[in-house]
Amino acid sequence: MIPRARATGRALGYQIFYRLPVPLRRRLVRLAVPKYIVGAVTLVRDAEAEGAGRILLLRQPPGHSWTLPAGLLQRGEAPVVGAARELYEESGIRLSPERLRPAVPNAVVHAKGWVDVVFEAEVPASRTELAVDGAEVFEAAWHPLDDLPRLSRATANLLRYYGIGPRAGEVPPAVPPAT
C-alpha cells in the first residue's frame, strides 16, 4: 500500500504533468523513460522441407556466424513493413507484409536495450531465388533445423524463444525492470 502523503504527491504530480502542453509532455517522457532500439526479424521456413524443416540464414560481416534476416525499423515504419523490407534487402525474397505473420512471441525485449519484433513466413526454397549484395550480406542459404551452422550469439538467443537451435529448451531470462 502506498503511504497517503506519497499518493497525494503523486496525484499532484500527475495533475501538473497533464496540464503541460503535449509537446513538452512528450519531451519529458522521452527524457525519463528508457529508450529501446526496435528491429524487425523474419524467420523464413522452407515450405517444401521434410523432417525437421529448414530455415533461411544469412552470413554477414565479419562472416564467422549466421543470422536471421533482420534490421532496424525506420522512424514511423510499421514492424511488418520493416520486416518485409529487410527480408528483400538482405536475401532478395520479396514478400508483401500481408504474407508475414506474427511469431509467438511476436516481440522479444532484450536486457541490453533493444526489442525484436519477429515475423514468420514460408516459401518454397526450390522456387525462391536468393540474392545478396556481397557487402551487407555475404551469403544466404537454407539450413536444416537439426543441423544448423554456427549462429551468432544474438541469433541463438532469439531462436530459443521458438524452440530452435543450440539453446532450444532453455528458459529465456526475464528482462529486469528498468530503473
Side-chain angles (χ1 to χ4, degrees):
M1 186 167 186
I2 299 174
R4 184 166 173 75
R6 189 168 154 206
T8 304
R10 188 172 173 191
L12 179 61
Y14 275 112
Q15 287 176 5
I16 293 169
F17 177 78
Y18 283 110
R19 288 186 180 149
L20 297 172
V22 172
L24 179 56
R25 288 195 326 235
R26 283 189 186 131
R27 190 169 300 143
L28 289 171
V29 168
R30 285 189 185 120
L31 289 172
V33 175
K35 311 298 187 286
Y36 285 93
I37 296 169
V38 181
V41 181
T42 307
L43 177 57
V44 184
R45 297 176 188 269
D46 177 2
E48 303 167 324
E50 295 181 13
R54 298 191 316 168
I55 61 170
L56 176 69
L57 294 172
L58 310 175
R59 194 169 58 82
Q60 297 179 286
H64 303 300
S65 58
W66 292 78
T67 65
L68 294 167
L72 298 178
L73 294 180
Q74 297 172 356
R75 186 175 299 278
E77 184 177 42
V80 70
V81 172
R85 175 183 52 77
E86 287 291 340
L87 178 62
Y88 176 67
E89 289 175 2
E90 294 183 346
S91 71
I93 298 175
R94 185 184 298 272
L95 296 177
S96 68
E98 293 79 28
R99 296 243 347 244
L100 303 180
R101 63 185 180 283
V104 177
N106 182 227
V108 176
V109 180
H110 302 278
K112 300 279 185 189
W114 82 92
V115 176
D116 283 323
V117 184
V118 185
F119 296 91
E120 294 180 305
E122 290 184 359
V123 298
S126 68
R127 297 189 313 261
T128 303
E129 185 176 337
L130 301 176
V132 299
D133 64 10
E136 181 183 3
V137 177
F138 294 150
E139 183 179 2
W142 298 98
H143 293 275
L145 289 172
D146 56 2
D147 188 26
L148 293 174
R150 179 179 176 204
L151 301 173
S152 72
R153 179 179 297 134
T155 298
N157 288 340
L158 183 68
L159 284 176
R160 80 175 145 190
Y161 284 88
Y162 307 98
I164 299 171
R167 304 203 58 198
E170 290 183 18
V171 177
V175 176
T179 56

Coordinates of all heavy atoms in Angstrom, one line a residue, residues 33-39 72 108-116 175-178:
V33 N 12.0 8.0 -19.7 CA 11.8 6.6 -20.0 C 12.9 6.0 -20.7 O 13.5 6.6 -21.6 CB 10.5 6.5 -20.8 CG1 10.2 5.0 -21.2 CG2 9.3 7.0 -20.0
P34 N 13.3 4.8 -20.3 CA 14.4 4.1 -21.1 C 14.1 4.0 -22.5 O 13.0 3.8 -22.9 CB 14.5 2.7 -20.4 CG 13.7 2.8 -19.2 CD 12.8 3.9 -19.3
K35 N 15.1 4.1 -23.4 CA 15.0 4.1 -24.8 C 15.3 2.7 -25.3 O 16.2 2.0 -24.7 CB 16.0 5.0 -25.5 CG 16.0 6.5 -25.0 CD 14.7 7.2 -25.1 CE 14.7 8.6 -24.8 NZ 14.8 8.9 -23.4
Y36 N 14.6 2.2 -26.3 CA 14.8 0.9 -26.9 C 15.0 1.1 -28.4 O 14.4 2.0 -29.0 CB 13.6 0.0 -26.7 CG 13.6 -0.5 -25.3 CD1 12.8 0.1 -24.3 CD2 14.3 -1.7 -24.9 CE1 12.7 -0.4 -23.1 CE2 14.2 -2.2 -23.6 CZ 13.4 -1.5 -22.7 OH 13.3 -2.0 -21.5
I37 N 15.9 0.3 -28.9 CA 16.1 0.2 -30.4 C 15.2 -0.9 -30.8 O 15.1 -2.0 -30.2 CB 17.6 -0.1 -30.7 CG1 18.5 1.1 -30.3 CG2 17.7 -0.4 -32.2 CD1 20.0 0.7 -30.3
V38 N 14.4 -0.7 -31.9 CA 13.5 -1.6 -32.4 C 13.9 -2.2 -33.7 O 14.1 -1.4 -34.7 CB 12.0 -1.1 -32.5 CG1 11.0 -2.1 -32.9 CG2 11.6 -0.5 -31.1
G39 N 14.0 -3.5 -33.8 CA 14.3 -4.2 -35.0 C 13.2 -5.1 -35.4 O 12.4 -5.5 -34.6
L72 N 17.0 -2.7 -38.4 CA 16.3 -1.7 -37.6 C 15.1 -1.1 -38.4 O 15.2 -0.9 -39.6 CB 17.3 -0.6 -37.2 CG 18.4 -1.0 -36.4 CD1 19.4 0.2 -36.1 CD2 18.0 -1.6 -35.1
V108 N 10.3 -9.6 -28.7 CA 11.2 -10.1 -27.7 C 12.0 -8.9 -27.2 O 12.7 -8.2 -28.0 CB 12.2 -11.2 -28.2 CG1 13.2 -11.6 -27.2 CG2 11.4 -12.4 -28.7
V109 N 11.9 -8.6 -25.9 CA 12.6 -7.5 -25.3 C 13.9 -8.0 -24.7 O 13.9 -8.9 -23.8 CB 11.7 -6.8 -24.2 CG1 12.5 -5.6 -23.5 CG2 10.4 -6.4 -24.7
H110 N 15.0 -7.4 -25.1 CA 16.3 -7.8 -24.7 C 16.8 -6.9 -23.6 O 16.5 -5.7 -23.6 CB 17.3 -7.8 -25.8 CG 16.9 -8.7 -26.9 ND1 17.1 -10.1 -26.9 CD2 16.3 -8.4 -28.1 CE1 16.7 -10.6 -28.1 NE2 16.1 -9.6 -28.8
A111 N 17.5 -7.4 -22.6 CA 18.0 -6.6 -21.5 C 19.0 -5.5 -21.9 O 19.1 -4.5 -21.2 CB 18.7 -7.5 -20.5
K112 N 19.6 -5.7 -23.0 CA 20.6 -4.7 -23.5 C 20.0 -3.4 -24.2 O 20.7 -2.6 -24.7 CB 21.6 -5.3 -24.5 CG 22.4 -6.5 -23.8 CD 23.5 -6.0 -23.0 CE 24.3 -7.2 -22.6 NZ 25.3 -6.8 -21.6
G113 N 18.7 -3.3 -24.2 CA 18.1 -2.1 -24.7 C 17.5 -2.2 -26.1 O 17.4 -1.2 -26.8
W114 N 17.2 -3.4 -26.6 CA 16.6 -3.4 -27.9 C 15.4 -4.4 -27.9 O 15.3 -5.2 -27.0 CB 17.6 -3.7 -29.0 CG 17.9 -5.2 -29.3 CD1 17.3 -6.0 -30.1 CD2 19.0 -5.9 -28.7 NE1 17.9 -7.3 -30.1 CE2 19.0 -7.2 -29.2 CE3 20.0 -5.6 -27.8 CZ2 19.9 -8.2 -28.8 CZ3 20.9 -6.6 -27.4 CH2 20.8 -7.8 -27.9
V115 N 14.5 -4.2 -28.8 CA 13.3 -5.0 -29.0 C 13.3 -5.6 -30.4 O 13.5 -4.9 -31.3 CB 12.0 -4.2 -28.7 CG1 10.8 -5.1 -29.0 CG2 12.0 -3.6 -27.4
D116 N 13.1 -6.9 -30.5 CA 13.0 -7.5 -31.8 C 11.5 -7.9 -32.0 O 10.9 -8.5 -31.1 CB 13.8 -8.8 -31.9 CG 15.2 -8.6 -32.1 OD1 15.6 -7.6 -32.8 OD2 16.1 -9.4 -31.6
V175 N 13.5 -10.1 -18.4 CA 14.1 -8.8 -18.5 C 13.9 -8.1 -17.2 O 12.8 -7.9 -16.7 CB 13.5 -8.1 -19.7 CG1 14.1 -6.7 -19.8 CG2 13.8 -8.8 -21.0
P176 N 15.0 -7.6 -16.6 CA 14.8 -6.9 -15.3 C 14.1 -5.6 -15.6 O 14.2 -5.0 -16.7 CB 16.3 -6.6 -14.9 CG 17.1 -6.8 -16.1 CD 16.4 -7.7 -17.0
P177 N 13.3 -5.1 -14.6 CA 12.6 -3.8 -14.8 C 13.6 -2.7 -14.9 O 14.7 -2.7 -14.3 CB 11.8 -3.7 -13.5 CG 12.4 -4.6 -12.5 CD 13.1 -5.7 -13.3
A178 N 13.2 -1.7 -15.7 CA 14.0 -0.5 -15.9 C 14.1 0.3 -14.6 O 13.1 0.4 -13.9 CB 13.5 0.4 -17.0

